[in-house]
Amino acid sequence: MRLVIAQMKHETNTFSPVPTDLRRFARGRATPLEGEAIRAAFKGTGTAIGAFIALAEKAGAELVLPVAGDASPSGPVETAAYEWMATRILDAVAKGCDAVLLDLHGAMVTEAHDDGEGELLGRIRKLAPKLPVGVALDMHTNLFPAMVENATALAGYQTYPHVDMYETGMRAGRPILALLEGRAMPVMVSGQRPMLPHVMRQSSLDGPNFAIQTRAKDMEREGVLAATFFVGFPHADIPWAGSSAVVVTDGDAVKAKQCCDALLDMAWTDRAQFVYRIEPLAASLARAQQMQGGPIVLLDHYDNCASGGTMDTMTVLGGILDAGLADVAAFAIYDPEAANKMKAAGVGSNVTLALGGKMDMPSLGLKGVPRQVSGKVKVIVDGQYKNEGPMAKGAAGDMGLSAVLDTGKVEIAVISRHTEPYDIAPFRLLGIDPAKKRYLMLKSRVHWRAGLGPLAKATVECAGTGVCTSDYAQLEFRRVRRPIYPLDPDAQA
Ligand SMILES: [Zn+2]
C-alpha cells in the first residue's frame, strides 16, 4: 500500500496586510519540508500529520511525503507559494498511490482562489477520480462545497483551543484505511446555517460550542465515523465563511444527514450566544486594577497573530503603560527591527525604541502607530523551542530573534516571527515565569487557554486595535453570502 501524506495549512484573514509567501510556510527555512525530513519532524508529535504517519506505519504502508507547509494566519496566499506546494502534492499523486491523507486548515484563500483547499482537492480528483482522499481540518474551516465534493472523508478539530490535532488526524485517516481494507464504505454529508459565530464566543471549553462538540463526540461513540461542527472563521470576506458541519458514516447517508442537521440546529438555536459584547478598553483596565491577586490575563484579542493580526499594535500595551500597571509581562510585540536594535545594544543596555506599529492596516483605514518605550534589555535569545503542550505537543516553535525589554514595571517580549502565546515554552526561553506575574498581557483570543489557562486567576478582555478586531462593524463585508447572522439579525435558517 502506498499513501501520499502532505500538509498545506493556512487560515487566511482577507483583512490582514501581513503577506503570505512560501517562506511563511517553511518554519524559518527558505522552503517547506519535503520527503523524509517530514517524518523526522512530525513522527510522534501531537499533529494531524503525525497521526497520518502513525496510521500509515502501523498499516505497513509505503509513505510518500511531498510537502509539509504550515503558515501562521495572515493575508491571502501568494499564487507562487500555493502552486509550489500544490504541484508537489499533485506530482506525488500522479506517480500512483492507493490514497491521499492531507493535513489542511480549511480556510485558505489565495490570490487566485477563494477556496484553496477545494481547488487542490478538485485537481487531485481530476487526476485520480476514484482515489480515496482523507482530510484533517481546523475547527475554523470555512467549508466550500468543492471540499466535500472532492474528498472521501473530512474530519475537523473538536476542541478550541485545538488540543486534538492528533485525534483529528486519526478520525480523518481511519475511514480511508478501513475503505482500503474493505472494512467500511464511507459516505459524507455536509450542511451549513447562515451564521458567523464570533471567535471570542467559540471556545469549546464553555458556552454553546461545548455542548455542540460534546454531541459530535457522542455521535462517534455511537458509531458515526467522523462528526464535525465547524465554527468557521469570520475574518474572511468570502462567500462560504461561517459555521458548517460534515458527518461521515459507514454507508448510511440518511443517518449522516440526521447527525449533520442535529449539530447545525444546536448552533442555530444558540446563535445569540455566539455574539460578543465589547467593553471599552479604559473600563477593562480600570476593572483589572481593582482585582486582587494574579496573574490576571489582559487579553489583547484584536491583534492575535493566529487570526492574521500584525501583532504590533500598541493600543492595549500603551494603555497598560499609561495606567501605570506594575509587575506585568507582555507577550508579544512583533518587531524584528526593534529586536535587532536590542541585540546590537546588548543585554544590560538602556534603550529607547519606537516599538511596534510598523504595519499599516488599509482594510481598517488605519496607519501603524509605534510608541516610544524606554527600558533595559534583559534577555536576547534565538527564539527556538519545543512546545510542551497540550497544543501541538513536541512540535518545534520559532519566534526568531527575540528579546525582553524591561521598563521597570512591564517586561515586554519583542519577537521576529509571529507566535501566538499558547504554550509555556517561549516564556521559559525568555526567562519569564508567567505564574509569578500580577498581570499577563497576551495577544491571543482562545488558544492561550491551552497552555496558560490553568495559571490565570482572572481574565480581562481588552479591546485594542487590529485586523482581527472583535467589532464586526469595523470590517467591510462585501462578498460573504447574505443574509447572514448577526450581520443580518433577521437572517433565516
Ligand atoms: Zn483554528
Side-chain angles (χ1 to χ4, degrees):
M1 187 194 301
R2 179 190 281 187
L3 300 176
V4 171
I5 294 174
Q7 180 193 60
M8 186 175 87
K9 288 174 75 167
H10 188 248
E11 178 182 72
T12 306
N13 178 336
T14 61
F15 302 99
S16 173
V18 180
T20 310
D21 58 8
L22 187 62
R23 188 175 276 271
R24 197 168 174 88
F25 285 88
R27 301 180 179 88
R29 287 171 289 272
T31 57
L33 288 176
E34 298 175 73
E36 280 303 312
I38 295 171
R39 193 187 321 229
F42 288 101
K43 185 174 172 176
T45 63
T47 59
I49 192 169
F52 291 157
I53 291 168
L55 273 175
E57 288 185 345
K58 188 161 174 247
E62 177 193 347
L63 276 74
V64 181
L65 301 156
V67 64
D70 183 3
S72 183
S74 44
V77 179
E78 291 179 4
T79 293
Y82 179 79
E83 295 299 336
W84 194 96
M85 294 181 284
T87 301
R88 276 162 177 76
I89 295 169
L90 289 159
D91 285 352
V93 171
K95 284 180 186 148
C97 60
D98 297 294
V100 182
L101 298 175
L102 297 172
D103 180 5
L104 307 179
H105 184 289
M108 179 187 279
V109 182
T110 77
E111 289 172 328
H113 307 289
D114 282 342
D115 174 18
E117 289 87 359
E119 174 67 22
L120 173 71
L121 296 169
R123 291 187 199 177
I124 292 172
R125 183 56 59 92
K126 206 167 165 191
L127 197 62
K130 294 202 160 53
L131 189 68
V133 178
V135 186
L137 295 163
D138 192 284
M139 189 190 280
H140 293 104
T141 286
N142 288 325
L143 191 71
F144 279 69
M147 291 168 65
V148 182
E149 287 159 13
N150 295 302
T152 313
L154 303 176
Y157 305 155
Q158 293 171 326
T159 61
Y160 183 29
H162 307 323
V163 294
D164 65 335
M165 297 177 186
Y166 185 88
E167 291 77 6
T168 302
M170 287 289 174
R171 290 165 49 234
R174 278 195 202 111
I176 302 301
L177 287 174
L179 172 64
L180 291 178
E181 292 164 3
R183 292 182 282 111
M185 191 57 87
V187 294
M188 186 160 60
V189 171
S190 69
Q192 57 85 26
R193 296 290 181 270
M195 56 187 285
L196 287 172
H198 198 289
V199 176
M200 292 293 287
R201 300 290 302 142
Q202 290 177 349
S203 174
S204 62
L205 297 173
D206 41 41
N209 200 23
F210 173 80
I212 299 169
Q213 299 301 335
T214 301
R215 183 77 194 94
K217 286 176 208 168
D218 286 346
M219 288 170 181
E220 292 180 4
R221 262 192 291 277
E222 290 156 13
V224 164
L225 297 180
T228 304
F229 171 71
F230 297 112
V231 284
F233 182 59
H235 290 67
D237 190 20
I238 51 174
W240 291 99
S243 63
S244 61
V246 61
V247 175
V248 185
T249 61
D250 183 5
D252 190 342
V254 174
K255 168 113 179 159
K257 174 93 171 74
Q258 281 170 353
C259 290
C260 186
D261 282 338
L263 296 173
L264 291 167
D265 288 343
M266 285 178 80
W268 183 253
T269 303
D270 286 344
R271 61 192 179 282
Q273 290 186 55
F274 279 112
V275 176
Y276 181 68
R277 316 263 168 230
I278 298 160
E279 178 184 52
L281 177 60
S284 303
L285 291 176
R287 196 158 57 83
Q289 284 173 291
Q290 299 304 316
M291 291 175 161
Q292 302 298 313
I296 295 161
V297 170
L298 305 170
L299 197 65
D300 186 359
H301 53 100
Y302 280 41
D303 190 30
N304 170 22
C305 71
S307 296
T310 57
M311 208 182 186
D312 75 342
T313 68
M314 297 296 289
T315 307
V316 174
L317 181 54
I320 289 167
L321 292 166
D322 289 341
L325 267 63
D327 196 12
V328 185
F331 191 102
I333 302 299
Y334 167 80
D335 191 338
E337 192 183 315
N340 272 307
K341 281 187 179 158
M342 290 164 77
K343 188 184 178 191
V347 170
S349 310
N350 288 304
V351 293
T352 297
L353 300 165
L355 191 62
K358 302 292 190 296
M359 202 167 263
D360 296 338
M361 292 162 278
S363 66
L364 301 178
L366 295 175
K367 293 265 183 214
V369 184
R371 178 174 170 123
Q372 293 283 116
V373 184
S374 298
K376 187 171 283 214
V377 180
K378 195 171 180 191
V379 173
I380 300 168
V381 294
D382 67 356
Q384 309 293 315
Y385 61 90
K386 273 225 160 97
N387 281 317
E388 294 184 22
M391 193 171 154
K393 189 175 180 178
D398 174 12
M399 52 186 171
L401 174 67
S402 300
V404 175
L405 182 65
D406 186 358
T407 70
K409 288 183 173 176
V410 185
E411 289 186 339
I412 305 167
V414 180
I415 64 176
S416 298
R417 290 193 71 237
H418 283 129
T419 305
E420 185 184 16
Y422 62 77
D423 198 281
I424 193 78
F427 290 87
R428 285 197 211 285
L429 186 64
L430 293 166
I432 295 172
D433 183 352
K436 297 218 168 96
K437 291 287 172 188
R438 168 113 159 91
Y439 297 104
L440 268 184
M441 190 211 86
L442 301 176
K443 283 186 182 276
S444 179
R445 296 208 280 196
V446 174
H447 279 144
W448 70 275
R449 295 174 72 178
L452 304 167
L455 304 177
K457 178 131 193 283
T459 309
V460 177
E461 294 162 357
C462 295
T465 305
V467 293
C468 59
T469 171
S470 289
D471 182 359
Y472 284 175
Q474 293 179 343
L475 301 171
E476 193 185 350
F477 290 98
R478 281 180 293 199
R479 301 188 55 231
V480 71
R481 68 197 185 285
R482 305 295 288 263
I484 193 162
Y485 184 88
L487 302 182
D488 306 298
D490 297 327
Q492 297 297 313

